Amino acid sequence: MGVSRAERPSDRSRQGRGQDRHVLQPREAPAWSAPARTASGDAVADMREAILAKLAYVIGKSPTTARERDWFAATALALRDRVVDACMGAGRTVPNKRVYYLSLEFLIGRLLSDAMNNLGLVETTRAALAELGIDLGTVEGAEPDAALGNGGLGRLAACFMESMASIGIPAIGYGIRYDHGLFRQSLEDGWQRETPETWLAEGNPWEFVRPEATYTVGFGGHVTMSAVSEGVIRRQWHPAETVRAVAHDVPVVGWRGAHVNTLRLWKAEAEAPVDLGQFNGGDHVGAVSSRSRAEAISRVLYPSDSSMAGQELRLRQEYFFTSASLQDLLRRHVAERGDVRSLHDHAAIQLNDTHPAIAVPELMRLLLEDHQLSWEDAWHVTSNTLHYTNHTLLPEALETWPVELMERLLPRHMQIIYLINWMHLEEQGKVGRHDAAHLAAVSLIDESHGRRVRMGHLAFHGARRVNGVSALHTELMRSTVFRDLHALEPEKIVNKTNGITFRRWFHNANPGLTTLAVEAVGARVLDDPEALRGLEAFATDASFVARYAAMRGARKEALAQIVADRTGIDIDPSALFDVQVKRIHEYKRQLLNVIETVALYQAIKAEPHRDWTPRVKIFGGKAAPSYTQAKLIIKLACDVAKAVNDDPEVAGRLKVVFMPNYSVSLAEAIIPAADLSEQISTAGMEASGTGNMKFALNGALTVGTLDGANIEIRQHVGPENIFIFGLDAAGVQARMATPNYARDAIWASPRLAAALDMIASGRFSPEEPNRFRPLVDDLRHRDQYLLTVDFDDYWRVQREIDAAWNDPAGWWRMAILNTARMAWFSSDRSMREYAEEIWRVKLG
Ligand SMILES: *Cc1c(COP(=O)(O)O)cnc(C)c1O
């Protein structure tokens, strides 16, 4: 009965723009999900009653009036109770040391399947809902996607939180509870359109509001001095404006429910909701205006990825969440240990990029002013507690803030930064480094572009360890952006290659493949991904390979259905699915892929009777709203798609799709259906990538450059099981130093020249022939990302891939070997390395 209500069109329309609701893997009962067989009737009945109780007493609905969204909320609340039980069961002992992970972004996605899977309650919940006439997949699809992040950096934070809970690292993640996460992308005639995302519109059943954990965060104002005694001078900040940070906790349950950690997200509230004087004076609107200024801080996520958003509101967000988090962890430490001087023995703070780098002067300020430490003691504690992860060396992404803005918004912090910098430069003098060029290079203040605070230098100097996120990236940190600081402290930079959580990107996203792995190598693969290696023995086992191919086929059919629903384009599941999904950025070179598509289109039309390997090119990703070039690349992909898909001469050989609104849930549907993973960034520019790991784990073969973690993926899967092309990072550096490289590369490649001519001619934009001139002109005259230089080798390797696809046994062998050899890229491994080598924290 419930289901027939939920399926009613009127109910469906009330779901609003719920396009993502149908992005779901087929939820067949996986054989490895033990509760399916062992769940006693009682466990199912208990769950059923728990869901019904939540529906009635929390949501206020009966099964006959409940919408899909209500069933989701009731199910999530019932599961949340189990998470709390797991938390209480674990005992409330104080851990010796905690990790605090500060990140402006957490791209968590949906949590229901995560929670069910980690608690071993997938089949129990499915059966309980089935007894109520409700389909679990539908309920999962009704959960909004929590997109509190832009891309890889935010997704990494989410994977790390799950892994820390799974391997037992006591941790609290700190971030911002944005009212609006990353915008929703739609395509209007191929142009990206952004609409606000509203994940909180109907509340968030996972969170606990903690009004008792509320802190005051100040902005602006002035600093006073007072002589305390014996010549000691104390300074005190008097902010002009204060905002309240209110904690909202989301429990993070680890694998098999063994540990539960907390993601604490701060909401900004006005200190006084209304100005009573103004209100009583009759100005009711003016009385709430300061409120909207305060609350703006947690209103919306900045949608820029890999580029710096220089607005004041961004700096306010950064300081707001950093200050609240430090106040919170200091209060906890003092309550548990009494003395703030032992902070570094019991807390390790990780700064996810420079967004929380203001933690360096803020922790100093709190220790100096609230805890009366001496400068030396405060610096000792600060520089032994903080750690910093660098995520990019792209100049446009390195954060710097104008000194003028810092002085206005955070005057006390600017003083502290000056003092830290003065001592840092004094140190240089003592070791005989007086030369101006050296001092300018290591200074925390950049004097060359107006006076700006270098947040990367600040974080580096204030941190005990600084890490890169892949072997190549760490090496480049040492030799480029941080070269001079590295020379001063050669032990400080360490490498911690990124990882992904296998619970989400393997178990949950790909139950079919997980089932095959369990059947082949045993259930221990669920606890120890190294057991995947046992799959090597099955890579040439005909019956295993047949089931593997059937499993992939089913996922490709499911994706074809989603593509048809979203775009109206029919794709053939037997074609090679060639996928590039990630943020749209010039360094990621989606344009290279589009140009290769155009060249392939021309080649097929020139020789229509050759036996071309059927391909479907699938693109997806959001562009920052202000990133004109990236939006034009999306439009080009869509215009090329239209021309190619409408041309009967290439039918059955080439299709092109741009999937709108790429998100975590869409990734979960696309990645297990991919045959080929495009990881084609300009070498030296992608710090690590994590999309590359998700694809390879799920058995897609990688076509990629020697960039980021691709290099380590090649080492693990073997060079014969990955398709590498193009210049390496050293080659890129060298080529960039030669004049006219783009012009020479185009001259040398008639195929590239023809593809560029076709785009420039207006063939794909007859109604506006010059639409794509800016893209082509840039390639002909500048080509900062060396597309023209790598094009021919990219074309070559793509044809090699065509040939490989025509040998199915060989292809499946490579695919299975990829899955078998990807265990090292588990974020559990990353977290163990951080725990041992950076945080010095014991696993629980
Ligand atoms: C993994 C992931 C990313 C990062 O992808 P890269 O290819 O490493 O840039 C971005 N967005 C979503 C939704 C993801 O799941």
Side-chain angles (χ1 to χ4, degrees):
M1 182 140 195
V3 108
S4 62
R5 289 286 309 192
E7 293 282 303
R8 277 182 175 190
S10 59
D11 288 282
R12 192 172 284 283
S13 64
R14 274 193 281 143
Q15 305 281 337
R17 283 186 308 267
Q19 307 162 27
D20 278 342
R21 287 182 310 121
H22 303 290
V23 179
L24 273 180
Q25 65 274 24
R27 267 263 176 214
E28 77 276 13
W32 46 269
S33 178
R37 293 193 223 116
T38 58
S40 65
D42 283 342
V44 172
D46 288 351
M47 181 63 76
R48 187 192 64 219
E49 294 311 309
I51 294 171
L52 282 175
K54 296 296 183 191
L55 193 65
Y57 302 119
V58 182
I59 320 287
K61 289 277 183 92
S62 73
T64 53
T65 58
R67 303 162 306 148
E68 289 170 8
R69 169 65 214 216
D70 300 322
W71 283 110
F72 156 68
T75 308
L77 289 166
L79 261 296
R80 193 182 72 167
D81 285 357
R82 307 300 178 95
V83 176
V84 172
D85 290 343
C87 188
M88 303 295 183
R92 305 262 67 194
T93 58
V94 173
N96 182 55
K97 195 170 193 178
R98 277 196 196 84
V99 170
Y100 294 103
Y101 197 85
L102 270 62
S103 181
L104 200 53
E105 303 191 6
F106 287 92
L107 185 49
I108 40 195
R110 290 173 176 154
L111 291 177
L112 182 58
S113 41
D114 240 31
M116 286 189 303
N117 181 51
N118 281 1
L119 290 169
L121 290 171
V122 177
E123 295 315 315
T124 304
T125 309
R126 184 198 316 284
L129 285 168
E131 289 182 5
L132 297 164
I134 303 293
D135 170 53
L136 174 60
T138 309
V139 171
E140 289 179 297
E143 176 169 10
D145 211 303
L148 310 184
N150 275 286
L153 176 150
R155 184 54 233 173
L156 185 78
C159 282
F160 281 2
M161 288 304 297
E162 200 275 349
S163 273
M164 286 192 281
S166 287
I167 67 175
I169 298 175
I172 296 179
Y174 283 118
I176 294 180
R177 181 183 179 273
Y178 301 106
D179 294 330
H180 303 284
L182 186 59
F183 65 84
R184 184 176 280 277
Q185 176 198 56
S186 58
L187 296 171
E188 278 184 11
D189 192 29
W191 293 107
Q192 170 173 298
R193 218 179 94 90
E194 303 102 30
T195 47
E197 180 280 340
T198 55
W199 71 297
L200 288 176
E202 298 193 37
N204 176 8
W206 298 113
E207 77 186 4
F208 293 96
V209 190
R210 306 284 192 207
E212 74 277 19
T214 295
Y215 299 89
T216 300
V217 178
F219 295 97
H222 64 282
V223 179
T224 55
M225 281 198 301
S226 55
V228 180
S229 63
E230 300 134 35
V232 177
I233 290 175
R234 292 266 169 211
R235 288 168 204 267
Q236 196 71 37
W237 178 28
H238 308 275
E241 179 192 353
T242 54
V243 174
R244 282 149 36 97
V246 183
H248 289 63
D249 287 354
V250 178
V252 179
V253 59
W255 177 232
R256 300 211 188 273
H259 301 274
V260 181
N261 283 331
T262 299
L263 175 58
R264 175 159 281 189
L265 302 175
W266 301 107
K267 179 183 196 298
E269 289 185 359
E271 195 76 67
V274 291
D275 182 319
L276 280 179
Q278 259 180 315
F279 194 83
N280 292 334
D283 182 3
H284 292 193
V285 174
V288 294
S289 67
S290 69
R291 175 171 176 180
S292 48
R293 179 170 161 80
E295 293 177 356
I297 292 176
S298 59
R299 191 72 75 208
V300 64
L301 168 77
Y302 269 93
S304 52
D305 187 62
S306 294
S307 69
M308 197 207 150
Q311 293 98 331
E312 180 172 332
L313 180 59
R314 171 75 168 203
L315 183 57
R316 286 165 66 88
Q317 288 185 336
E318 295 182 353
Y319 177 62
F320 164 77
F321 101 97
T322 302
S323 176
S325 308
L326 293 179
Q327 291 183 58
D328 188 48
L329 69 89
L330 279 172
R331 182 169 85 172
R332 183 176 303 106
H333 176 79
V334 170
E336 287 174 359
R337 309 280 169 182
D339 185 1
V340 79
R341 283 175 180 78
S342 63
L343 183 69
H344 51 290
D345 294 329
H346 303 289
I349 300 174
Q350 192 68 38
L351 309 179
N352 194 27
D353 212 313
T354 53
H355 312 145
I358 196 71
V360 177
E362 173 67 358
L363 186 51
M364 286 296 288
R365 185 188 70 87
L366 292 168
L367 295 173
L368 293 167
E369 289 174 11
D370 292 5
H371 298 274
Q372 275 77 49
L373 261 58
S374 68
W375 179 275
E376 290 69 26
D377 287 351
W379 184 248
H380 179 77
V381 169
T382 297
S383 59
N384 278 290
T385 306
L386 298 178
H387 308 84
Y388 155 54
T389 304
N390 173 272
H391 282 274
T392 177
L393 304 171
L394 296 179
E396 68 269 30
L398 296 178
E399 273 192 305
T400 62
W401 290 104
V403 165
E404 167 277 313
L405 172 59
M406 293 279 290
E407 277 172 343
R408 180 160 53 76
L409 205 62
L410 301 168
R412 179 69 183 120
H413 298 77
M414 197 60 236
Q415 287 181 344
I416 293 173
I417 291 169
Y418 276 136
L419 199 45
I420 293 172
N421 197 37
W422 183 79
M423 294 183 168
H424 166 55
L425 297 180
E426 277 291 288
E427 240 359 86
Q428 298 308 299
K430 280 187 210 151
V431 297
R433 301 295 311 265
H434 300 282
D435 49 310
H438 172 70
L439 295 181
V442 300
S443 174
L444 308 186
I445 313 286
D446 178 1
E447 314 258 355
S448 62
H449 308 88
R451 302 180 35 151
R452 303 178 72 95
V453 182
R454 293 168 165 154
M455 302 308 274
H457 278 44
L458 176 63
F460 188 108
H461 186 58
R464 199 180 68 83
R465 289 285 180 271
V466 176
N467 75 284
V469 290
S470 74
L472 172 69
H473 168 236
T474 301
E475 212 34 66
L476 292 171
M477 280 174 71
R478 294 185 178 122
S479 61
T480 63
V481 173
F482 295 108
R483 192 186 58 205
D484 300 289
L485 288 170
H486 168 62
L488 305 179
E489 297 177 278
E491 308 290 291
K492 197 177 247 192
I493 298 182
V494 295
N495 178 241
K496 292 287 158 275
T497 300
N498 283 166
I500 55 174
T501 167
F502 282 27
R503 268 75 59 187
R504 180 177 290 263
W505 298 109
F506 189 54
H507 305 182
N508 289 345
N510 206 339
L513 179 56
T514 307
T515 300
L516 283 179
V518 167
E519 285 170 10
V521 306
R524 83 189 168 89
V525 74
L526 300 173
D527 298 278
D528 176 14
E530 290 294 340
L532 280 172
R533 181 140 331 242
L535 285 179
E536 285 184 1
F538 294 84
T540 50
D541 175 314
S543 104
F544 184 84
V545 171
R547 288 194 297 152
Y548 187 95
M551 172 278 300
R552 176 76 57 80
R555 290 308 297 264
K556 291 173 75 173
E557 275 180 31
L559 179 59
Q561 188 59 53
I562 295 170
V563 168
D565 291 347
R566 298 279 183 88
T567 69
I569 299 170
D570 284 320
I571 58 174
D572 175 3
S574 70
L576 190 168
F577 280 14
D578 170 350
V579 182
Q580 187 172 21
V581 286
K582 50 182 75 238
R583 286 298 290 248
I584 310 294
H585 202 295
E586 288 163 281
Y587 85 82
K588 290 176 181 281
R589 300 202 294 192
Q590 282 91 357
L591 184 55
L592 175 60
N593 192 350
V594 175
I595 293 169
E596 195 269 338
T597 306
V598 170
L600 180 58
Y601 175 57
Q602 291 176 312
I604 296 173
K605 286 184 74 76
E607 292 182 86
H609 301 297
R610 256 184 61 182
D611 59 338
W612 296 97
T613 296
R615 267 197 202 233
V616 180
K617 290 259 191 187
I618 299 171
F619 294 89
K622 295 176 183 178
S626 61
Y627 194 168
T628 313
Q629 200 86 339
K631 288 176 144 178
L632 196 54
I633 291 169
I634 294 176
K635 175 61 174 162
L636 175 61
C638 292
D639 282 358
V640 168
K642 186 142 51 77
V644 168
N645 299 343
D646 286 350
D647 189 336
E649 218 173 11
V650 297
R653 282 76 165 263
L654 183 59
K655 276 272 170 87
V656 184
V657 174
F658 195 104
M659 283 290 280
N661 205 37
Y662 184 56
S663 61
V664 173
S665 355
L666 192 53
E668 288 164 357
I670 290 177
I671 290 169
D675 298 306
L676 186 65
S677 158
E678 299 267 358
Q679 308 298 338
I680 60 176
S681 52
T682 315
M685 298 199 182
E686 186 76 87
S688 164
T690 48
N692 47 4
M693 301 170 189
K694 300 167 195 165
F695 280 100
L697 173 64
N698 282 282
L701 304 187
T702 303
V703 55
T705 45
L706 287 173
D707 198 13
N710 294 353
I711 295 171
E712 288 151 272
I713 292 175
R714 180 174 72 154
Q715 284 163 3
H716 281 83
V717 305
E720 66 286 4
N721 299 308
I722 186 170
F723 296 96
I724 298 292
F725 73 97
L727 293 178
D728 63 9
V732 165
Q733 290 299 321
R735 188 62 64 95
M736 277 182 167
T738 63
N740 302 323
Y741 58 78
R743 194 196 59 191
D744 293 351
I746 298 170
W747 272 351
S749 173
R751 195 184 313 277
L752 171 60
L756 292 179
D757 287 346
M758 192 177 214
I759 295 167
S761 74
R763 168 70 174 72
F764 300 106
S765 54
E767 67 283 10
E768 190 190 345
N770 287 327
R771 177 179 297 150
F772 301 115
R773 284 307 292 231
L775 295 178
V776 177
D777 286 345
D778 181 84
L779 288 182
R780 287 175 174 159
H781 300 113
R782 198 164 76 115
D783 189 20
Q784 213 190 328
Y785 301 97
L786 284 82
L787 273 69
T788 59
V789 175
D790 277 345
F791 178 82
D792 275 351
D793 205 32
Y794 183 52
W795 173 271
R796 173 198 62 75
V797 80
Q798 288 285 18
R799 305 293 73 82
E800 202 182 295
I801 290 163
D802 284 340
W805 179 255
N806 290 325
D807 165 22
W811 186 280
W812 296 123
R813 190 178 145 277
M814 288 193 278
I816 293 165
L817 288 179
N818 265 260
T819 302
R821 297 173 178 176
M822 282 296 290
W824 190 78
F825 296 92
S826 163
S827 45
D828 297 355
R829 187 271 314 156
S830 307
M831 289 293 86
R832 282 194 194 93
E833 287 187 7
Y834 276 80
E836 270 179 38
E837 295 161 31
I838 297 184
W839 303 328
R840 301 183 291 188
V841 57
K842 291 226 163 19
L843 277 47

